[in-house]
Amino acid sequence: MATVARMQREAERAAAARQRADAAAQREAARAQAAYARARAADEKERKRLYAESRSAEVAAMNENLAQRLEDLDSILVSGLRIDTRFKLHRLQEKADVTPFDPGPAGRPEPAPRAEAFLPPPPTGLSRLVGGARHEEQVRQGQLNYQQACAEHAQREQARQATLNRLQHEHAQRTSEAEEQARRQNAEIESFKRELAEGRPDAVVTYFDLVLNAISYPDGFPSKWRMAYVPESAQLVVEYELPTISVVPTVKTYRYLKTSDSITETKRPVTQVKGQYTSVVGQMALRVVRDLFEGDAASHISAIVFNGMVDTVDAATGRPVRPCLLTLRTTKETFAELDLARVDPAACLKHLGAGVSRNTAELSPVRPVLEFSMVDPRFVEETDILGDLDDRPNLLDMSPTEFEGLIQNLFTRMGLEARQTRPSRDGGVDCVAYDPRPIMGGKVVIQAKRYRNTVGVSAVRDLYGTLQNEGASKGILVTTSGYGQASFDFAKNKPIELLDGANLLFLLKEHAGVDARIEAPDGWRDPGLDRADSDAPASPLRMGENVRLSSPTLLCAFALPSTEHDPCALLLGADRKVRSDADFVFYNQPVSADGAINLDTATHQVKVNLARLATDVSTVLLVASGPPGAIGLTVTEQNGTAHSLTLDTTTETVLICTEIYRRQGGWRMRAVGQGYADGLAGLARDHGVVIE
């Protein structure tokens, strides 16, 4: 009984211990579950916090990108002023891409077999007495194996040598091809450099295409343009594709809403978006013109026509349209006076006389200063471009009567009521036409001149006088050649339209169905009121007119109004600057360093030997200094051909009479007639002369 009682007590204690253990386990499980629940809740809270932070960071990045985009759009012009856009043509040159010759395994000869490796070791001990025959057999077999190994080695070596020769030949061929390709490439670059130095239109356009290709604009901006170059007026015509209004952000700011886990946008005012787009268009125009002028290291262009176009779809018709939103014509001198870092684009464009769309966002077009399609590349080429060139009528072969009828027919087809008048004495044609349109119409005076050389500014002045005398609302001057900068300057802000030879060819093709050409016959001389007869000793030049010089030796005789006047000369490089002060020839330094320019102060004559000029001299300026008055200059070539001009200054105390410049492998002379009211200081300032 005692044993049974003890066993019962032990069983009860064991059961109680199990109950306590179970209770403890349950309490521990409850604590663990509570800890897990707390940890899970904390983890969920942390996860939500981290998620919210990531979304907030995402929105912050979006706002930062938005702010950067707006800043990029506002600084299109200013950010480009730090960039030197002059394209370095040597970057196009190539070196032959040739890797060193590596023959690989073929360049490592295999060691020749060694006889010792095939012969048995010499017998030793007892084997020398009883194993002689066996050793001899082993030697004979070893020699046979050695000979076979040598033959196989020779075959492998022969194959290796053949492989090595093949690899060497292939490497030499690749090297030769790479060197030839590099040579051809570099020869093309050198040829391009020569054509560019000569001012060939295709080379000039190609160079400025390289200039624009090297410049980057904000993301989403198109990189498309067309260019044409008119050498007669040193004018570059650019049709540039502008971005649409979609490049301007319409969002003012982004916000993250934690309650809905979404990102919302606050819209910018529509007027703000449109205003910024107008600013972008204006900045793009100024930036492109600046980049082109800045890249003109060889001074090929004196004026740029910029037409900013937009390729888009008309929302009303669904058809593609290409409106011109901005058109501008400016000269290098005018543009150089601008401080682009401080200008307001809209005010600057107004100052330059640009035509800007009244509503750029609605794509309201403006009429281009010069239609790109009117710049006919056939006119600026000197070679036979089209196979049927000779089948087209040559405007310079026509009689005056035929030319008059052609011009009258042209403007009649264009919708004007043209009435022909008597031909003018300078070989031009005069028409009085009437534009029948209400309000915009009226009387129009038209003059056309068959010239080969540049039309001088006097013709534009004559047209303006005729326009005023006739009481006409507009004057149109048409020529088979081109115009100088002075002509465009005079016509600015006047009701005068200047159409050059390229424009005339386009208008004849477009409106009269005449596919014409312009080629000066042998012996052609430009007629003119102020030109001497063919027997006269000197041919007067108009301002802006240029002639080709056929002799390397020139005698330049000045006719000066007083003893206070002095002639001088400057030798300029491609940058229109003197190379050093030795390039300024005047009374204290009458001979240039190379002896090509000699000044005789007693007779006021300058002798020029073009053949002795250094190759880096591209222009020679003939200058007169002194009080305002009438100045004459006669330039006589070695063959007796003489060219004269008469200039009358009013406020200028230094006058650039002519410039002699390289063009297409030869030399030409242009009548300039522009000066400085501040004397030699202005001349020196513009051409890099240091005056003590």
Side-chain angles (χ1 to χ4, degrees):
M1 292 296 290
T3 300
V4 171
R6 186 176 65 254
M7 292 176 61
Q8 288 178 346
R9 287 194 298 273
E10 290 177 355
E12 290 174 356
R13 284 196 294 269
R18 284 195 299 272
Q19 289 178 356
R20 288 194 299 272
D22 290 342
Q26 290 177 0
R27 290 194 299 272
E28 187 62 30
R31 284 195 298 270
Q33 184 68 27
Y36 172 74
R38 289 194 300 272
R40 184 174 180 182
D43 183 67
E44 180 68 17
K45 183 178 180 180
E46 180 66 12
R47 187 184 67 80
K48 289 182 178 180
R49 185 184 67 80
L50 294 176
Y51 176 76
E53 287 182 357
S54 68
R55 295 286 277 170
S56 298
E58 179 184 356
V59 169
M62 294 171 65
N63 285 323
E64 184 177 348
N65 292 337
L66 179 62
Q68 184 62 50
R69 178 67 172 183
L70 295 176
E71 182 181 348
D72 290 344
L73 295 180
D74 287 336
S75 61
I76 290 174
L77 176 59
V78 175
S79 62
L81 301 181
R82 300 184 294 269
I83 301 174
D84 181 4
T85 61
R86 287 172 291 186
F87 190 84
K88 311 303 187 294
L89 293 176
H90 65 81
R91 290 163 49 188
L92 300 176
Q93 294 179 332
E94 291 184 354
K95 292 184 179 180
D97 184 12
V98 180
T99 56
F101 178 62
D102 181 11
R108 295 187 291 273
E110 179 184 345
R114 295 170 50 251
E116 300 82 35
F118 295 87
L119 297 178
T124 59
L126 186 61
S127 62
R128 286 187 297 178
L129 300 176
V130 298
R134 181 180 177 185
H135 180 264
E136 290 178 358
E137 177 62 23
Q138 290 177 344
V139 170
R140 186 183 64 79
Q141 185 63 41
Q143 290 175 341
L144 291 176
N145 293 339
Y146 171 67
Q147 293 173 357
Q148 183 178 357
C150 287
E152 293 174 352
H153 174 267
Q155 291 179 352
R156 290 194 300 273
E157 182 63 16
Q158 184 178 6
R160 185 190 70 81
Q161 288 287 350
T163 301
L164 180 62
N165 292 336
R166 177 178 58 79
L167 294 176
Q168 288 176 333
H169 176 73
E170 292 175 353
H171 181 266
Q173 186 174 6
R174 288 195 302 270
T175 301
S176 176
E177 291 174 354
E179 291 175 345
E180 176 62 21
Q181 180 180 354
R183 188 195 64 78
R184 288 197 303 266
Q185 169 77 4
N186 295 334
E188 291 177 2
I189 298 304
E190 292 302 321
S191 175
F192 173 68
K193 287 182 179 179
R194 290 192 296 271
E195 293 178 356
L196 181 62
E198 295 170 359
R200 299 283 182 90
D202 286 346
V204 173
V205 169
T206 301
Y207 171 77
F208 286 109
D209 188 71
L210 292 172
V211 168
L212 292 184
N213 269 301
I215 300 168
S216 61
Y217 291 99
D219 293 340
F221 279 54
S223 297
K224 293 173 59 179
W225 54 80
R226 294 193 298 171
M227 284 188 289
Y229 178 63
V230 184
E232 287 72 20
S233 54
Q235 180 171 265
L236 187 69
V237 183
V238 184
E239 187 176 273
Y240 200 93
E241 184 173 343
L242 298 171
T244 63
I245 196 172
S246 61
V247 299
V248 179
T250 58
V251 178
K252 182 178 181 180
T253 185
Y254 294 98
R255 288 184 58 201
Y256 172 60
L257 298 180
K258 187 183 297 186
T259 55
S260 60
D261 189 23
S262 61
I263 297 176
T264 62
E265 302 174 350
T266 301
K267 295 294 185 180
R268 301 174 67 195
V270 175
T271 55
Q272 194 176 102
V273 174
K274 292 182 177 180
Q276 187 166 34
Y277 179 61
T278 301
S279 174
V280 166
V281 170
Q283 289 184 80
M284 283 293 297
L286 294 173
R287 170 79 180 274
V288 172
V289 173
R290 178 265 174 194
D291 290 344
L292 292 172
F293 276 140
E294 179 71 18
D296 185 23
S299 298
H300 286 299
I301 55 177
S302 61
I304 291 179
V305 173
F306 176 89
N307 293 332
M309 319 296 289
V310 174
D311 268 328
T312 186
V313 175
D314 189 341
T317 64
R319 301 185 63 84
V321 291
R322 188 174 169 79
C324 177
L325 299 187
L326 190 149
T327 184
L328 164 69
R329 185 188 184 280
T330 185
T331 64
K332 180 177 289 187
E333 291 77 9
T334 301
F335 207 78
E337 296 173 355
L338 304 176
D339 185 355
L340 295 177
R342 302 170 63 184
V343 301
D344 173 71
C348 183
L349 290 170
K350 184 177 181 180
H351 168 72
L352 295 174
V356 183
S357 171
R358 296 189 308 273
N359 192 334
T360 54
E362 299 298 331
L363 304 179
S364 300
V366 295
R367 181 186 177 188
V369 173
L370 176 63
E371 291 282 357
F372 188 87
S373 56
M374 295 177 70
V375 186
D376 191 339
R378 295 171 296 177
F379 176 71
V380 299
E381 289 286 352
E382 294 187 350
T383 56
D384 184 2
I385 299 175
L386 301 178
D388 60 346
L389 183 65
D390 294 333
D391 296 333
R392 297 180 290 152
N394 184 2
L395 300 185
L396 296 184
D397 275 339
M398 290 183 171
S399 68
T401 303
E402 292 172 335
F403 188 59
E404 293 164 10
L406 185 66
I407 295 299
Q408 180 185 6
N409 176 262
L410 168 63
F411 284 96
T412 300
R413 295 288 184 88
M414 292 174 64
L416 300 180
E417 298 174 2
R419 295 183 178 86
Q420 183 177 326
T421 64
R422 290 183 302 173
S424 59
R425 289 183 294 158
D426 65 350
V429 98
D430 294 333
C431 291
V432 175
Y434 295 90
D435 188 343
R437 294 177 300 170
I439 303 176
M440 301 297 295
K443 189 176 183 180
V444 182
V445 175
I446 303 169
Q447 292 183 353
K449 299 184 181 298
R450 291 191 303 157
Y451 279 17
R452 179 181 64 180
N453 297 311
T454 303
V455 176
V457 69
S458 59
V460 188
R461 293 194 182 101
D462 293 343
L463 173 62
Y464 189 56
T466 304
L467 184 151
Q468 293 177 317
N469 292 334
E470 293 286 340
S473 59
K474 186 175 184 179
I476 302 175
L477 184 60
V478 188
T479 183
T480 52
S481 60
Y483 302 96
Q485 186 55 47
S487 297
F488 288 110
D489 290 341
F490 181 82
K492 186 176 180 180
N493 299 326
K494 295 182 178 68
I496 295 177
E497 190 161 352
L498 304 180
L499 302 177
D500 60 19
N503 303 156
L504 178 57
L505 291 178
F506 172 82
L507 294 175
L508 287 170
K509 177 68 175 178
E510 186 75 10
H511 298 282
V514 177
D515 193 6
R517 60 192 173 100
I518 299 173
E519 270 192 354
D522 293 338
W524 172 274
R525 288 181 62 86
D526 288 345
L529 288 171
D530 55 352
R531 298 292 299 250
D533 296 332
S534 58
D535 296 333
S539 299
L541 294 177
R542 294 173 173 168
M543 293 307 97
E545 186 176 359
N546 65 80
V547 295
R548 183 180 296 276
L549 299 175
S550 56
S551 300
T553 304
L554 308 174
L555 178 62
C556 310
F558 285 84
L560 302 176
S562 72
T563 57
E564 299 181 52
H565 288 76
D566 293 295
C568 57
L570 277 81
L571 283 66
L572 308 180
D575 58 353
R576 302 287 295 181
K577 306 287 186 183
V578 296
R579 299 166 300 173
S580 69
D581 292 348
D583 288 341
F584 183 28
V585 179
F586 64 113
Y587 56 86
N588 279 341
Q589 188 173 263
V591 182
S592 63
D594 53 13
I597 310 295
N598 285 268
L599 169 63
D600 187 341
T601 56
T603 60
H604 294 164
Q605 292 182 347
V606 179
K607 295 180 181 179
V608 180
N609 188 341
L610 300 175
R612 297 185 63 176
L613 286 172
T615 56
D616 57 348
V617 174
S618 62
T619 305
V620 177
L621 298 183
L622 297 177
V623 182
S625 65
I631 296 173
L633 174 63
T634 301
V635 178
T636 305
E637 302 184 50
Q638 189 176 16
N639 59 10
T641 303
H643 315 278
S644 66
L645 66 156
T646 301
L647 309 162
D648 192 8
T649 60
T650 55
T651 60
E652 300 88 348
T653 55
V654 164
L655 186 70
I656 300 176
C657 301
T658 65
E659 63 175 3
I660 301 167
Y661 59 97
R662 296 183 190 268
R663 177 59 59 88
Q664 298 179 352
W667 289 90
R668 300 184 72 89
M669 182 176 69
R670 178 186 293 115
V672 179
Q674 297 179 354
Y676 300 85
D678 54 350
L680 290 176
L683 179 72
R685 179 184 62 249
D686 282 0
H687 299 95
V689 180
V690 178
I691 299 179
E692 298 295 339

Short mmCIF file of all heavy atoms in Angstrom, two decimals, residues 422-457:
data_model
loop_
_atom_site.label_atom_id
_atom_site.label_comp_id
_atom_site.label_asym_id
_atom_site.label_seq_id
_atom_site.Cartn_x
_atom_site.Cartn_y
_atom_site.Cartn_z
N ARG A 422 10.20 102.09 -121.96
CA ARG A 422 11.41 102.04 -122.77
C ARG A 422 12.57 101.46 -121.96
O ARG A 422 12.68 101.72 -120.76
CB ARG A 422 11.79 103.45 -123.23
CG ARG A 422 10.83 104.02 -124.27
CD ARG A 422 11.31 105.37 -124.72
NE ARG A 422 11.44 106.29 -123.59
CZ ARG A 422 11.98 107.50 -123.68
NH1 ARG A 422 12.45 107.93 -124.82
NH2 ARG A 422 12.04 108.27 -122.62
N PRO A 423 13.45 100.71 -122.62
CA PRO A 423 14.60 100.18 -121.90
C PRO A 423 15.51 101.30 -121.42
O PRO A 423 15.66 102.31 -122.09
CB PRO A 423 15.30 99.28 -122.92
CG PRO A 423 14.63 99.49 -124.23
CD PRO A 423 13.42 100.32 -124.03
N SER A 424 16.11 101.10 -120.26
CA SER A 424 17.02 102.11 -119.72
C SER A 424 18.37 101.99 -120.39
O SER A 424 18.70 100.97 -121.00
CB SER A 424 17.16 101.92 -118.21
OG SER A 424 17.66 100.64 -117.94
N ARG A 425 19.16 103.03 -120.29
CA ARG A 425 20.44 103.05 -120.97
C ARG A 425 21.45 102.08 -120.38
O ARG A 425 22.47 101.81 -120.98
CB ARG A 425 21.03 104.48 -120.90
CG ARG A 425 20.29 105.47 -121.78
CD ARG A 425 20.99 106.81 -121.70
NE ARG A 425 20.89 107.37 -120.36
CZ ARG A 425 21.73 108.29 -119.90
NH1 ARG A 425 22.75 108.71 -120.62
NH2 ARG A 425 21.58 108.77 -118.68
N ASP A 426 21.16 101.56 -119.18
CA ASP A 426 22.12 100.63 -118.58
C ASP A 426 21.80 99.19 -118.92
O ASP A 426 22.29 98.27 -118.29
CB ASP A 426 22.15 100.81 -117.06
CG ASP A 426 20.83 100.44 -116.41
OD1 ASP A 426 19.85 100.23 -117.14
OD2 ASP A 426 20.80 100.36 -115.17
N GLY A 427 20.98 98.96 -119.94
CA GLY A 427 20.69 97.59 -120.36
C GLY A 427 19.61 96.95 -119.55
O GLY A 427 19.28 95.79 -119.76
N GLY A 428 19.03 97.65 -118.60
CA GLY A 428 17.96 97.10 -117.79
C GLY A 428 16.62 97.31 -118.48
O GLY A 428 16.52 97.83 -119.58
N VAL A 429 15.57 96.88 -117.81
CA VAL A 429 14.24 97.05 -118.37
C VAL A 429 13.37 97.65 -117.29
O VAL A 429 13.53 97.34 -116.11
CB VAL A 429 13.70 95.69 -118.85
CG1 VAL A 429 12.80 95.06 -117.84
CG2 VAL A 429 13.00 95.81 -120.17
N ASP A 430 12.51 98.55 -117.64
CA ASP A 430 11.63 99.21 -116.69
C ASP A 430 10.19 98.83 -117.01
O ASP A 430 9.77 98.88 -118.16
CB ASP A 430 11.78 100.73 -116.76
CG ASP A 430 13.16 101.17 -116.31
OD1 ASP A 430 13.76 100.44 -115.51
OD2 ASP A 430 13.64 102.22 -116.76
N CYS A 431 9.46 98.46 -115.98
CA CYS A 431 8.04 98.17 -116.12
C CYS A 431 7.30 98.92 -115.02
O CYS A 431 7.78 99.02 -113.88
CB CYS A 431 7.74 96.67 -115.97
SG CYS A 431 8.36 95.66 -117.33
N VAL A 432 6.16 99.42 -115.37
CA VAL A 432 5.23 99.94 -114.38
C VAL A 432 4.08 98.96 -114.32
O VAL A 432 3.44 98.68 -115.32
CB VAL A 432 4.74 101.35 -114.75
CG1 VAL A 432 3.69 101.81 -113.76
CG2 VAL A 432 5.90 102.34 -114.78
N ALA A 433 3.87 98.39 -113.15
CA ALA A 433 2.84 97.37 -112.99
C ALA A 433 1.86 97.81 -111.92
O ALA A 433 2.14 98.69 -111.10
CB ALA A 433 3.47 96.03 -112.62
N TYR A 434 0.70 97.17 -111.93
CA TYR A 434 -0.34 97.47 -110.96
C TYR A 434 -0.79 96.17 -110.31
O TYR A 434 -1.10 95.20 -110.99
CB TYR A 434 -1.52 98.18 -111.63
CG TYR A 434 -1.16 99.54 -112.17
CD1 TYR A 434 -0.69 99.67 -113.47
CD2 TYR A 434 -1.26 100.68 -111.37
CE1 TYR A 434 -0.34 100.92 -113.97
CE2 TYR A 434 -0.91 101.92 -111.87
CZ TYR A 434 -0.45 102.05 -113.17
OH TYR A 434 -0.08 103.28 -113.65
N ASP A 435 -0.79 96.19 -109.01
CA ASP A 435 -1.27 95.04 -108.25
C ASP A 435 -2.75 95.26 -108.00
O ASP A 435 -3.15 96.19 -107.27
CB ASP A 435 -0.51 94.95 -106.93
CG ASP A 435 -0.81 93.67 -106.17
OD1 ASP A 435 -1.82 93.01 -106.49
OD2 ASP A 435 -0.05 93.33 -105.24
N PRO A 436 -3.63 94.44 -108.59
CA PRO A 436 -5.07 94.68 -108.49
C PRO A 436 -5.69 94.34 -107.14
O PRO A 436 -6.88 94.59 -106.93
CB PRO A 436 -5.64 93.78 -109.59
CG PRO A 436 -4.66 92.66 -109.70
CD PRO A 436 -3.31 93.26 -109.42
N ARG A 437 -4.92 93.79 -106.22
CA ARG A 437 -5.49 93.39 -104.94
C ARG A 437 -5.92 94.63 -104.15
O ARG A 437 -5.21 95.63 -104.12
CB ARG A 437 -4.49 92.59 -104.11
CG ARG A 437 -4.11 91.25 -104.69
CD ARG A 437 -3.06 90.59 -103.82
NE ARG A 437 -1.86 91.42 -103.73
CZ ARG A 437 -0.86 91.19 -102.89
NH1 ARG A 437 -0.94 90.16 -102.05
NH2 ARG A 437 0.20 91.97 -102.85
N PRO A 438 -7.07 94.56 -103.50
CA PRO A 438 -7.49 95.71 -102.68
C PRO A 438 -6.60 95.84 -101.44
O PRO A 438 -6.05 94.87 -100.95
CB PRO A 438 -8.93 95.35 -102.29
CG PRO A 438 -9.00 93.86 -102.38
CD PRO A 438 -8.07 93.47 -103.49
N ILE A 439 -6.46 97.04 -100.97
CA ILE A 439 -5.70 97.39 -99.76
C ILE A 439 -4.20 97.14 -99.96
O ILE A 439 -3.38 98.04 -99.85
CB ILE A 439 -6.20 96.65 -98.50
CG1 ILE A 439 -7.70 96.94 -98.27
CG2 ILE A 439 -5.39 97.04 -97.29
CD1 ILE A 439 -8.30 96.17 -97.12
N MET A 440 -3.81 95.89 -100.25
CA MET A 440 -2.40 95.54 -100.35
C MET A 440 -1.82 95.90 -101.70
O MET A 440 -0.60 95.93 -101.86
CB MET A 440 -2.21 94.03 -100.12
CG MET A 440 -2.71 93.54 -98.78
SD MET A 440 -1.80 94.28 -97.41
CE MET A 440 -0.18 93.61 -97.70
N GLY A 441 -2.66 96.17 -102.71
CA GLY A 441 -2.18 96.41 -104.06
C GLY A 441 -1.69 97.83 -104.27
O GLY A 441 -1.47 98.60 -103.35
N GLY A 442 -1.56 98.19 -105.53
CA GLY A 442 -1.11 99.52 -105.87
C GLY A 442 -0.11 99.49 -107.01
O GLY A 442 0.10 98.47 -107.69
N LYS A 443 0.51 100.63 -107.23
CA LYS A 443 1.47 100.79 -108.32
C LYS A 443 2.81 100.20 -107.92
O LYS A 443 3.31 100.42 -106.81
CB LYS A 443 1.61 102.27 -108.66
CG LYS A 443 2.40 102.57 -109.91
CD LYS A 443 2.39 104.07 -110.19
CE LYS A 443 3.10 104.40 -111.49
NZ LYS A 443 3.08 105.86 -111.76
N VAL A 444 3.42 99.46 -108.84
CA VAL A 444 4.70 98.80 -108.59
C VAL A 444 5.66 99.18 -109.71
O VAL A 444 5.31 99.09 -110.89
CB VAL A 444 4.54 97.27 -108.53
CG1 VAL A 444 5.88 96.60 -108.23
CG2 VAL A 444 3.51 96.87 -107.48
N VAL A 445 6.86 99.61 -109.34
CA VAL A 445 7.91 99.91 -110.31
C VAL A 445 8.86 98.73 -110.34
O VAL A 445 9.37 98.29 -109.29
CB VAL A 445 8.66 101.20 -109.93
CG1 VAL A 445 9.83 101.42 -110.88
CG2 VAL A 445 7.72 102.39 -109.98
N ILE A 446 9.12 98.20 -111.53
CA ILE A 446 9.97 97.03 -111.69
C ILE A 446 11.14 97.39 -112.61
O ILE A 446 10.94 97.95 -113.68
CB ILE A 446 9.19 95.84 -112.29
CG1 ILE A 446 7.97 95.51 -111.43
CG2 ILE A 446 10.09 94.62 -112.45
CD1 ILE A 446 7.01 94.55 -112.09
N GLN A 447 12.33 97.08 -112.17
CA GLN A 447 13.52 97.26 -113.00
C GLN A 447 14.30 95.96 -113.01
O GLN A 447 14.44 95.30 -111.98
CB GLN A 447 14.40 98.39 -112.45
CG GLN A 447 13.77 99.77 -112.58
CD GLN A 447 14.69 100.88 -112.11
OE1 GLN A 447 15.76 100.60 -111.55
NE2 GLN A 447 14.30 102.11 -112.33
N ALA A 448 14.78 95.59 -114.19
CA ALA A 448 15.56 94.36 -114.34
C ALA A 448 16.85 94.68 -115.07
O ALA A 448 16.85 95.45 -116.03
CB ALA A 448 14.76 93.31 -115.12
N LYS A 449 17.95 94.12 -114.59
CA LYS A 449 19.26 94.42 -115.14
C LYS A 449 19.99 93.13 -115.48
O LYS A 449 20.15 92.27 -114.62
CB LYS A 449 20.09 95.25 -114.15
CG LYS A 449 19.43 96.59 -113.81
CD LYS A 449 20.30 97.42 -112.91
CE LYS A 449 19.61 98.75 -112.58
NZ LYS A 449 19.36 99.57 -113.79
N ARG A 450 20.42 93.04 -116.73
CA ARG A 450 21.20 91.87 -117.17
C ARG A 450 22.67 92.16 -116.89
O ARG A 450 23.36 92.76 -117.71
CB ARG A 450 20.96 91.58 -118.65
CG ARG A 450 19.57 91.08 -118.97
CD ARG A 450 19.50 90.58 -120.38
NE ARG A 450 19.89 91.62 -121.33
CZ ARG A 450 20.35 91.36 -122.56
NH1 ARG A 450 20.49 90.12 -122.96
NH2 ARG A 450 20.66 92.34 -123.36
N TYR A 451 23.11 91.72 -115.72
CA TYR A 451 24.49 91.94 -115.31
C TYR A 451 25.16 90.60 -115.02
O TYR A 451 24.50 89.62 -114.65
CB TYR A 451 24.56 92.78 -114.02
CG TYR A 451 24.40 94.27 -114.23
CD1 TYR A 451 23.89 94.79 -115.41
CD2 TYR A 451 24.79 95.16 -113.23
CE1 TYR A 451 23.75 96.15 -115.59
CE2 TYR A 451 24.66 96.53 -113.39
CZ TYR A 451 24.13 97.02 -114.58
OH TYR A 451 24.00 98.37 -114.75
N ARG A 452 26.47 90.56 -115.18
CA ARG A 452 27.25 89.42 -114.72
C ARG A 452 27.86 89.70 -113.35
O ARG A 452 27.92 88.84 -112.49
CB ARG A 452 28.37 89.09 -115.72
CG ARG A 452 29.24 87.91 -115.29
CD ARG A 452 30.35 87.63 -116.28
NE ARG A 452 31.28 88.74 -116.37
CZ ARG A 452 32.35 88.76 -117.16
NH1 ARG A 452 32.58 87.74 -117.96
NH2 ARG A 452 33.15 89.81 -117.18
N ASN A 453 28.30 90.94 -113.17
CA ASN A 453 28.92 91.34 -111.91
C ASN A 453 27.86 91.84 -110.94
O ASN A 453 26.71 92.09 -111.31
CB ASN A 453 29.98 92.41 -112.15
CG ASN A 453 31.12 91.90 -113.01
OD1 ASN A 453 31.67 90.84 -112.76
ND2 ASN A 453 31.45 92.64 -114.06
N THR A 454 28.27 92.01 -109.69
CA THR A 454 27.35 92.43 -108.64
C THR A 454 26.77 93.81 -108.96
O THR A 454 27.48 94.73 -109.36
CB THR A 454 28.09 92.49 -107.30
OG1 THR A 454 28.65 91.20 -107.04
CG2 THR A 454 27.16 92.87 -106.18
N VAL A 455 25.47 93.94 -108.77
CA VAL A 455 24.80 95.23 -108.98
C VAL A 455 25.16 96.16 -107.83
O VAL A 455 25.07 95.79 -106.66
CB VAL A 455 23.27 95.03 -109.06
CG1 VAL A 455 22.56 96.37 -109.17
CG2 VAL A 455 22.92 94.16 -110.26
N GLY A 456 25.57 97.37 -108.17
CA GLY A 456 25.96 98.32 -107.15
C GLY A 456 24.78 98.95 -106.45
O GLY A 456 23.64 98.90 -106.91
N VAL A 457 25.06 99.58 -105.32
CA VAL A 457 24.00 100.19 -104.52
C VAL A 457 23.37 101.37 -105.24
O VAL A 457 22.23 101.75 -104.95
CB VAL A 457 24.57 100.60 -103.15
CG1 VAL A 457 25.55 101.76 -103.30
CG2 VAL A 457 23.46 100.99 -102.18
#
